[in-house]
């Protein structure tokens, strides 16, 4: 005789939750054509990318650690400062606002990123002033990170693409891609402040570090927008298309 069929076990809540996350990720793999679904998706993504107080708190901590890293010429402190940097989801919010032509969201996220960058810059500036009584010192790390390097551009490209894909297709926070992005953005920015504050970095670290930061930011934003296009996030209005085109032109000019 054949054994009686056993009832299938009920899926655990963890399995159901993971399956639901995968379904949401698959839904985001293609850009919705329905206007209401499109608005709902953008609302969800921009809500996750909207800056919070954590952006400024962790920027303050990261700026202080990075400044100490340049003061002591310590690569370990610089890596620690990058790991303490805030999650750069507002940068993705800026890219989304460019595609959507949402000027208000663009102004909010750019302002938040500017304040965060200013905090990082001030951390390096204060560390530079603190180094003056102890000079002459060796500032190899500050000099290195205030220059353009092909390897840095490669890492920056990978970080920009990964953080965009991870943010759109997953509900998890993209910590590792954000750390790659923070490494390439905050290190030259803090080095610029350190060079200005120390005085001896004039013409060698400042303003070169600020220029490197500008190029890295434009480079990362360019590839972030390209990644959104490959994920089928296209401008759906004339204003969004014009804004995206002007932004692309501006980014290329900066680079």
């Amino acid at each position: 005789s054949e054994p009686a069929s056993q009832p299938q076990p009920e899926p655990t809540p963890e399995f159901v939750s993971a399956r639901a996350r995968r379904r949401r990720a698959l839904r985001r793999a293609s850009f919705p054509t329905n206007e209401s679904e499109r608005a709902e998706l953008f609302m969800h993504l921009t809500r996750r990318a909207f800056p919070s107080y954590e952006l400024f708190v962790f920027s303050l901590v990261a700026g202080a650690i990075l400044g100490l890293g340049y003061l002591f010429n310590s690569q370990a402190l610089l890596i620690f400062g990058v790991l303490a940097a805030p999650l750069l989801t507002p940068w993705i919010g800026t890219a989304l606002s460019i595609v959507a032509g949402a000027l208000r969201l663009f102004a909010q996220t750019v302002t938040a990123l500017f304040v965060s960058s200013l905090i990082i810059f001030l951390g390096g500036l204060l560390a530079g002033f603190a180094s003056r009584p102890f000079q002459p010192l060796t500032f190899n790390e500050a000099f290195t990170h205030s220059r353009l390097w092909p390897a840095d551009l490669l890492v920056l490209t990978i970080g920009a693409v990964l953080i965009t894909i991870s943010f759109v297709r997953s509900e998890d926070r993209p910590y590792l891609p954000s750390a790659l992005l923070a490494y390439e953005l905050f290190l030259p920015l803090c080095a610029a402040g350190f060079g200005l504050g120390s005085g001896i970095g004039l013409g060698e670290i400042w303003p070169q570090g600020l220029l490197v930061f500008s190029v890295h930011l434009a480079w990362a934003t360019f590839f972030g927008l390209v990644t959104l296009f490959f994920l089928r996030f296209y401008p759906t209005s004339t204003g969004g298309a014009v804004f995206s085109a002007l932004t692309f032109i501006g980014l290329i000019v900066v680079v």
Side-chain angles (χ1 to χ4, degrees):
S1 60
E2 297 181 357
S5 60
Q6 298 295 328
Q8 295 293 332
E10 294 293 331
T12 62
E14 292 81 7
F15 178 77
V16 173
S17 177
R19 188 169 57 187
R21 287 198 299 268
R22 285 195 297 269
R23 285 200 301 267
R24 287 196 296 267
L26 289 175
R27 284 199 299 268
R28 295 196 188 95
S30 61
F31 192 71
T33 56
N34 184 276
E35 185 176 352
S36 61
E37 293 180 356
R38 186 185 305 121
E40 181 182 357
L41 177 59
F42 263 111
M43 185 65 65
H44 175 72
L45 292 178
T46 54
R47 190 182 300 115
R48 291 176 56 206
F50 197 81
S52 64
Y53 72 93
E54 293 180 354
L55 177 69
F56 310 111
V57 172
F58 284 104
S59 296
L60 183 63
V61 175
I65 298 175
L66 291 177
L68 290 176
Y70 285 129
L71 177 61
F72 294 108
N73 199 37
S74 171
Q75 189 179 36
L77 282 176
L78 293 179
I79 295 176
F80 181 38
V82 168
L83 295 178
L87 196 65
L88 293 179
T89 52
W91 173 81
I92 305 177
T94 301
L96 289 171
S97 67
I98 294 173
V99 174
L103 296 180
R104 182 178 179 182
L105 177 63
F106 177 80
Q108 291 172 333
T109 52
V110 167
T111 301
L113 289 175
F114 174 78
V115 174
S116 173
S117 301
L118 183 61
I119 293 174
I120 298 292
F121 180 83
L122 291 177
L125 184 69
L126 294 176
F129 278 117
S131 70
R132 293 194 174 192
F134 307 101
Q135 292 180 12
L137 297 172
T138 302
F139 301 134
N140 291 334
E141 292 294 337
F143 181 84
T144 300
H145 292 291
S146 61
R147 294 296 184 274
L148 280 174
W149 302 101
D152 285 338
L153 295 178
L154 176 61
V155 172
L156 184 61
T157 304
I158 296 174
V161 172
L162 287 181
I163 191 175
T164 305
I165 296 176
S166 301
F167 185 81
V168 172
R169 293 196 171 186
S170 174
E171 296 291 330
D172 299 330
R173 293 190 170 190
Y175 288 109
L176 180 58
S178 179
L180 293 177
L181 201 63
Y183 181 92
E184 300 298 347
L185 294 179
F186 289 157
L187 285 183
L189 180 62
C190 190
F194 184 82
L196 180 62
S198 64
I200 64 172
L202 299 178
E204 293 292 337
I205 301 175
W206 165 268
Q208 282 82 355
L210 186 61
L211 296 176
V212 171
F213 165 76
S214 302
V215 172
H216 282 188
L217 181 60
W219 185 280
T221 306
F222 178 86
F223 282 97
L225 291 174
V226 170
T227 304
L228 287 177
F229 289 161
F230 273 102
L231 293 174
R232 301 179 185 179
F233 282 76
Y234 308 124
T236 57
S237 63
T238 303
V242 172
F243 190 35
S244 299
L246 292 176
T247 302
F248 269 116
I249 294 174
L251 295 175
I252 293 173
V253 170
V254 170
V255 173

